[in-house]
Amino acid sequence: MISQPYVYRRHELAEPDWRRFPGWTGVSAAEWESAQWQRAHCVKNLRQLRQVTGPGLDETFFADTERDQRERATMSMLLPPQMLNTMVPSGSPDRPGFTEAFYADPVRRYMLPAFSDRRTDWPSHPYAQRDSLHEAEMWVVEGLTHRYPTKVLAELLSTCPQYCGHCTRMDLVGNPTAVTDKHKFGLAREDRLSAMLSYLRRTPGVRDVVVSGGDVANLPWPRLESFVAALLEIDSIRDIRLASKALMGLPQHWLTGEVRAGMSRLAATARSRGVSIAIHTHVNSAQSVTPLVARAAQAMLEAGVRDVRNQGVLLRGINDSAGALLDLCFALLDGAAIMPYYFYMCDMIPGSEHWRLTLREGQSLQHEIMGYLPGFATPRVVCDVPYVGKRWVHQVARYDTEHGISYWTKNYHTAIEVDDELALSREYPYYDPIYMLPEAGQAWWRSLGSRSHAGAAELVR
């Protein structure tokens, strides 16, 4: 038998036993599968985390995490029990080594950051920005980003059932933290949604709407159904994608009778009008794919959505190996009928350097996962370049590996470039994490530290 770099083995999904946590020993299966119970028992602070884990999680972790919340965290703590339960799925707080396993757990590393996870030399890249993709600059009405010629992003709300540490919309989403205040929508929600629909009705060049936020699972279902139904009445719209990490983090929501019946109504209308509705979720680790996640995905497929797709993010220490990515892809595909779709390079928000990979690493991972999955289910590794958009990692125009600067071009104008004659010929930069550069490159960046931002930008150009 030929030895291969990766060996495929199908693994049956398993729901970790939540009763291994002292705070949940008396929780019944019916309670666990209740979306209402899950929302009511989200972990929002360290006191509640202690109640769940008991004394088995060492105080050093709590002190470490408290410091992160005080000095680094861009997102507040919010963990549904379903999400927390996938951390150290085969371990228990009453067993030796639990704290070490908790620290090392890939889901914990991005959902519950500790200060010791972060870089102390370069916690943020000098060009990190709160709205790193400049989505708000491209709002044609508040919350509606028109970046691509035929596609828009509709940010309906600014909350989620769970908050990821690496959230690209940390400028808008969630509660303020000790170091990060949050942008707030100026218009009332109904006014914003009405303005979005008005824009789309008078802009027939748009055929594809990503309905996001935040997470659509936090919008009351009647309001979400009403908005999607209104989209279905616009002749030019052919694709609607609902973005919800909660399909993984709170699958109980997508299994409620109200949501399943409502999605069936929307899907039936979509089919009658030749429109595709899909759900996009966000899973970064194979251990997050459990039977409840599979049931939620299957419920949506049975309701009539075209696909359930996954858009993961490449994160160091979480899924930065071909084995981890392929394990995740096969768990999604074989276990839950969720289509692997994209893996994004982590965006350049403050405090994210310890998570981010270099472009070269992204290119290598794309190469290493090829040939194992069916072609239609082989995810693309993409870089979301500021002012450009998603680009396959091999589309880079040129790449200065010493200074960690890649240069990208594009073939369309965004909503803010109507009069920009150079938009299609300009090269747009993206930056590798500095600590991963050769010493000469790191020294170059350190030398820029005493110069003005404008002067540094001129050097980069």
Side-chain angles (χ1 to χ4, degrees):
M1 184 174 179
I2 300 174
S3 176
Q4 301 288 3
Y6 176 85
V7 178
Y8 167 78
R9 295 184 181 88
R10 183 171 182 184
H11 297 282
E12 294 297 323
L13 302 184
E15 206 73 45
D17 185 358
W18 57 88
R19 291 164 296 188
R20 73 191 189 282
F21 286 103
W24 294 333
T25 54
V27 176
S28 68
E31 288 174 312
W32 189 262
E33 295 186 12
S34 162
Q36 183 178 359
W37 185 92
Q38 288 279 330
R39 289 184 187 273
H41 292 83
C42 282
V43 171
K44 302 176 183 178
N45 54 53
L46 293 175
R47 176 184 59 81
Q48 293 175 338
L49 182 63
R50 280 191 181 92
Q51 292 173 347
V52 172
T53 63
L57 185 57
D58 196 89
E59 282 299 314
T60 56
F61 177 81
F62 291 99
D64 198 0
T65 305
E66 190 278 331
R67 184 181 180 188
D68 192 73
Q69 293 181 330
R70 189 175 67 248
E71 299 182 25
R72 289 284 188 268
T74 60
M75 299 300 291
S76 56
M77 186 185 301
L78 184 60
L79 290 162
Q82 175 75 24
M83 176 73 75
L84 181 56
N85 191 44
T86 63
M87 299 179 191
V88 197
S90 59
S92 174
D94 62 359
R95 295 179 185 171
F98 179 79
T99 296
E100 292 77 7
F102 200 71
Y103 261 112
D105 185 84
V107 178
R108 195 287 306 168
R109 288 180 63 86
Y110 81 94
M111 289 302 304
L112 188 56
F115 185 86
S116 61
D117 296 331
R118 314 254 185 190
R119 301 292 304 184
T120 55
D121 49 358
W122 296 100
S124 299
H125 194 280
Y127 286 98
Q129 296 189 39
R130 291 164 51 111
D131 181 8
S132 65
L133 301 180
H134 307 279
E135 289 177 335
E137 291 180 43
M138 301 177 201
W139 282 353
V140 287
V141 300
E142 189 177 55
L144 188 69
T145 300
H146 195 166
R147 177 161 55 156
Y148 301 99
T150 61
K151 301 183 285 185
V152 297
L153 166 70
E155 298 167 86
L156 301 194
L157 71 171
S158 60
T159 65
C160 299
Q162 68 285 302
Y163 292 136
C164 310
H166 66 283
C167 180
T168 190
R169 296 198 186 108
M170 50 75 60
D171 188 50
L172 174 72
V173 170
N175 301 315
T177 70
V179 297
T180 307
D181 59 356
K182 301 288 179 168
H183 176 89
K184 294 189 181 299
F185 289 126
L187 297 174
R189 185 173 69 198
E190 291 309 307
D191 292 336
R192 284 191 298 103
L193 271 56
S194 294
M196 291 178 187
L197 292 169
S198 294
Y199 177 83
L200 294 171
R201 291 184 186 111
R202 66 177 185 268
T203 313
V206 174
R207 65 170 303 282
D208 184 349
V209 181
V210 177
V211 184
S212 183
D215 191 312
V216 297
N218 263 22
L219 194 65
W221 177 261
R223 189 63 194 91
L224 178 60
E225 183 173 353
S226 173
F227 183 80
V228 175
L231 292 178
L232 288 169
E233 293 176 356
I234 301 174
D235 287 342
S236 60
I237 293 175
R238 300 287 92 193
D239 277 287
I240 299 171
R241 295 179 268 169
L242 307 182
S244 178
K245 187 184 180 76
L247 190 93
M248 177 271 283
L250 189 66
Q252 293 86 348
H253 168 80
W254 294 97
L255 286 165
T256 62
E258 178 185 39
V259 172
R260 295 174 74 164
M263 188 60 77
S264 293
R265 289 190 293 269
L266 291 174
T269 302
R271 281 194 304 273
S272 71
R273 299 182 179 178
V275 179
S276 168
I277 294 182
I279 294 177
H280 284 200
T281 193
H282 175 186
V283 189
N284 291 325
S285 175
Q287 69 195 51
S288 296
V289 187
T290 74
L292 273 168
V293 175
R295 282 173 53 192
Q298 186 60 40
M300 292 299 97
L301 292 170
E302 290 174 355
V305 305
R306 173 176 173 173
D307 279 306
V308 180
R309 307 181 185 117
N310 185 59
Q311 297 187 160
V313 176
L314 294 179
L315 299 166
R316 193 175 302 281
I318 290 92
N319 55 21
D320 56 337
S321 70
L325 291 184
L326 288 168
D327 284 348
L328 171 55
C329 290
F330 284 121
L332 292 166
L333 195 61
D334 295 347
I338 297 174
M339 186 72 66
Y341 181 46
Y342 280 143
F343 282 112
Y344 288 87
M345 305 289 290
C346 181
D347 291 322
M348 292 179 57
I349 59 164
S352 66
E353 288 302 273
H354 67 295
W355 282 309
R356 295 201 309 118
L357 274 62
T358 66
L359 177 66
R360 180 61 51 84
E361 289 175 300
Q363 291 173 332
S364 178
L365 286 169
Q366 181 74 87
H367 172 78
E368 291 174 37
I369 67 173
M370 298 299 289
Y372 288 95
L373 292 149
F376 64 84
T378 300
R380 282 174 288 173
V381 177
V382 294
C383 183
D384 210 340
V385 182
Y387 292 116
V388 176
K390 290 183 286 295
R391 284 291 181 267
W392 186 40
V393 287
H394 292 289
Q395 283 184 281
V396 62
R398 57 191 179 97
Y399 186 15
D400 177 352
T401 55
E402 179 171 307
H403 298 109
I405 309 172
S406 50
Y407 298 89
W408 307 77
T409 60
K410 62 181 177 180
N411 58 326
Y412 46 77
H413 294 85
T414 65
I416 60 175
E417 296 168 331
V418 175
D419 299 320
D420 187 350
E421 296 179 356
L422 301 178
L424 305 190
S425 58
R426 182 183 295 113
E427 290 185 328
Y428 298 81
Y430 180 84
Y431 304 97
D432 287 343
I434 293 172
Y435 75 94
M436 291 295 295
L437 304 182
E439 179 52 38
Q442 294 187 46
W444 183 80
W445 279 102
R446 286 193 295 268
S447 75
L448 299 184
S450 60
R451 309 180 191 186
S452 69
H453 187 83
E458 186 61 35
L459 278 173
V460 169
R461 284 197 293 270

